[in-house]
């Protein structure tokens, strides 16, 4: 059995830790309320933008545009993935789930460029051997639409220059306080097959019966998209706006998911700490009782020896 001093020291240490986790839970709860409101406000626009523009691009046929040039490239394609994680840990499996999703998606590491938004994902994917582009880690401190525009400019610039041929977005969908789901979605270029795959996955949290019906209607449409004015001018305006909107929506969702995951992790840590404190309290009382009993036995034995 551990000594009373060791038990007392350990109980004090766990008590201090529980105070920290309880404070972190309260901070995450406050942040979650604000982030949750922003996520719920932006979600309808985010999903409708994705549904509309992706369907439009999938039905545009073989058009010539610098943002879609990768779809006509022969041989292995260079894939750019915008990976949104957090700058801090202590959020349960929030960061590791995104890293695992990207690493097990079947991409060839030699042909992948990571655009990290969040220090934890950047560190983990770099250790796994992925190539890193410019980092946008500071964005996660307080994401704004201007930050999404900055990320979008970098990615679309690499699309135009031919550095990458397709773009994916990896982030965490906020469903509720207890549930956050990692998602990997293709942004550009889009084909009819990609649209069908996205509809079958059903990862968007608000895809109810009406959304599924809309997806089925899109699958049945065979007419190509007509553009006015010319398709190049139209797409050069729509695609950057489309990408910026998706990135901002993902940033807002990821922020809410991070705070929800951290709040849940700190709540579990606080509960575990309280259980350990109770257990150590029992051990301390038993050790104290054993020490008192031993002292009494020694006193009685000494008195008997004197007599």
């Amino acid at each position: 059995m551990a000594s009373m001093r060791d038990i007392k020291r350990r109980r004090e240490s766990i008590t201090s830790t529980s105070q920290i986790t309880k404070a972190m839970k309260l901070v995450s709860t406050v942040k979650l309320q604000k982030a949750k409101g922003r996520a719920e406000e932006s979600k309808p626009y985010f999903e409708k933008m994705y549904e509309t523009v992706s369907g439009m691009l999938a039905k545009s046929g073989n058009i010539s545009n610098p943002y879609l040039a990768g779809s006509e490239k022969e041989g292995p394609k260079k894939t750019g993935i915008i990976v949104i994680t957090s700058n801090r840990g202590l959020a349960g499996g929030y960061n590791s789930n995104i890293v695992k999703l990207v690493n097990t998606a079947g991409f060839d590491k030699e042909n992948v460029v990571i655009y990290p938004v969040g220090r934890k994902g950047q560190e983990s994917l770099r250790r796994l051997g992925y190539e890193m582009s410019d980092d946008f880690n500071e964005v996660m401190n307080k994401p704004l639409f201007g930050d999404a525009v900055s990320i979008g400019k970098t990615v679309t610039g690499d699309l135009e220059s031919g550095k990458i041929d397709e773009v994916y977005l990896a982030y965490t969908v906020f469903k509720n306080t207890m549930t956050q789901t990692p998602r990997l979605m293709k942004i550009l270029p889009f084909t009819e097959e990609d649209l069908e795959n996205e509809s079958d996955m059903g990862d968007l949290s608000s895809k109810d019966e009406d959304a599924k019906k809309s997806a089925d209607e899109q699958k049945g449409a065979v007419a190509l998209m007509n553009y006015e004015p010319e398709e190049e001018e139209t797409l050069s305006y729509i695609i950057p706006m489309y990408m910026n909107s998706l990135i901002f929506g993902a940033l807002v969702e990821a922020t809410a998911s991070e705070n929800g995951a951290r709040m849940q992790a700190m709540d579990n840590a606080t509960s575990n700490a309280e259980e350990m404190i109770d257990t150590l309290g029992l051990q301390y009382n038993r050790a104290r009782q054993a020490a008192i009993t031993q002292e009494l036995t020694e006193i009685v034995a000494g008195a008997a020896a004197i007599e």
Side-chain angles (χ1 to χ4, degrees):
M1 180 181 293
S3 66
M4 292 173 57
R5 179 180 299 176
D6 292 338
I7 296 174
K8 185 176 181 181
R9 186 179 302 164
R10 187 180 179 193
R11 187 173 64 176
E12 290 175 351
S13 175
I14 295 175
T15 301
S16 299
T17 302
S18 68
Q19 292 173 350
I20 295 173
T21 57
K22 188 178 296 184
M24 292 184 66
K25 175 191 172 182
L26 294 175
V27 172
S28 297
T29 301
V30 174
K31 290 183 176 180
L32 174 62
Q33 297 305 316
K34 297 179 180 179
K36 181 181 178 181
R38 294 183 69 191
E40 291 175 346
E41 290 174 359
S42 63
K43 186 185 288 289
Y45 175 79
F46 169 76
E47 295 181 354
K48 182 57 67 174
M49 172 67 80
Y50 178 72
E51 177 186 340
T52 302
V53 179
S54 62
M56 180 186 73
L57 295 178
K59 296 172 179 62
S60 295
N62 297 323
I63 60 178
S64 177
N65 187 274
Y67 297 133
L68 306 177
S71 60
E72 301 174 358
K73 180 179 178 180
E74 296 182 358
K77 294 182 179 180
K78 196 77 170 180
T79 302
I81 308 177
I82 304 170
V83 180
I84 302 177
T85 55
S86 68
N87 288 329
R88 298 180 297 143
L90 300 178
Y94 171 75
N95 295 306
S96 59
N97 289 338
I98 286 291
V99 172
K100 181 180 179 181
L101 177 66
V102 173
N103 194 43
T104 58
F107 297 113
D108 182 6
K109 292 182 182 180
E110 300 298 325
N111 295 312
V112 172
V113 178
I114 301 295
Y115 297 86
V117 185
R119 191 171 295 111
K120 290 299 180 180
Q122 180 185 26
E123 294 171 353
S124 298
L125 290 171
R126 179 179 282 123
R127 284 196 298 268
L128 292 172
Y130 287 89
E131 177 186 349
M132 295 289 151
S133 181
D134 299 336
D135 68 75
F136 303 93
N137 297 332
E138 297 304 320
V139 169
M140 293 310 298
N141 294 332
K142 189 177 180 180
L144 303 172
F145 187 76
D147 299 320
V149 173
S150 178
I151 299 171
K153 283 183 178 179
T154 301
V155 177
T156 53
D158 289 345
L159 273 172
E160 292 179 10
S161 64
K163 181 179 179 180
I164 58 175
D165 304 305
E166 56 184 3
V167 183
Y168 283 79
L169 181 61
Y171 69 105
T172 305
V173 178
F174 179 80
K175 293 188 175 181
N176 52 57
T177 304
M178 303 295 293
T179 306
Q180 303 87 32
T181 306
R183 186 187 186 206
L184 180 66
M185 61 186 291
K186 188 174 184 179
I187 300 180
L188 289 174
F190 242 93
T191 64
E192 189 74 33
E193 181 181 356
D194 295 324
L195 186 62
E196 292 178 1
N197 291 338
E198 287 292 331
S199 297
D200 292 339
M201 286 171 63
D203 287 333
L204 288 176
S205 58
S206 67
K207 277 197 172 182
D208 52 13
E209 294 300 325
D210 293 337
K212 291 180 180 179
K213 181 179 179 181
S214 177
D216 292 336
E217 291 174 355
Q218 287 184 354
K219 289 182 182 181
V222 294
L224 293 179
M225 190 68 60
N226 294 322
Y227 291 93
E228 180 65 33
E230 294 298 324
E231 56 194 28
E232 183 175 352
E233 180 182 352
T234 304
L235 291 177
S236 295
Y237 172 78
I238 291 178
I239 290 179
M241 182 176 64
Y242 156 77
M243 180 174 290
N244 297 339
S245 299
L246 290 188
I247 294 173
F248 178 68
L251 288 173
V252 173
E253 290 256 358
T255 302
S257 298
E258 176 190 349
N259 286 294
R262 183 170 289 111
M263 186 190 74
Q264 185 178 355
M266 292 301 99
D267 182 54
N268 293 336
T270 302
S271 299
N272 292 337
E274 291 174 351
E275 291 180 4
M276 293 180 68
I277 290 171
D278 292 340
T279 301
L280 290 172
L282 291 175
Q283 292 180 3
Y284 179 82
N285 291 334
R286 289 173 182 172
R288 182 171 175 272
Q289 184 178 5
I292 293 172
T293 302
Q294 183 177 357
E295 289 179 2
L296 291 174
T297 302
E298 291 174 353
I299 293 171
V300 171
I306 292 174
E307 293 178 357

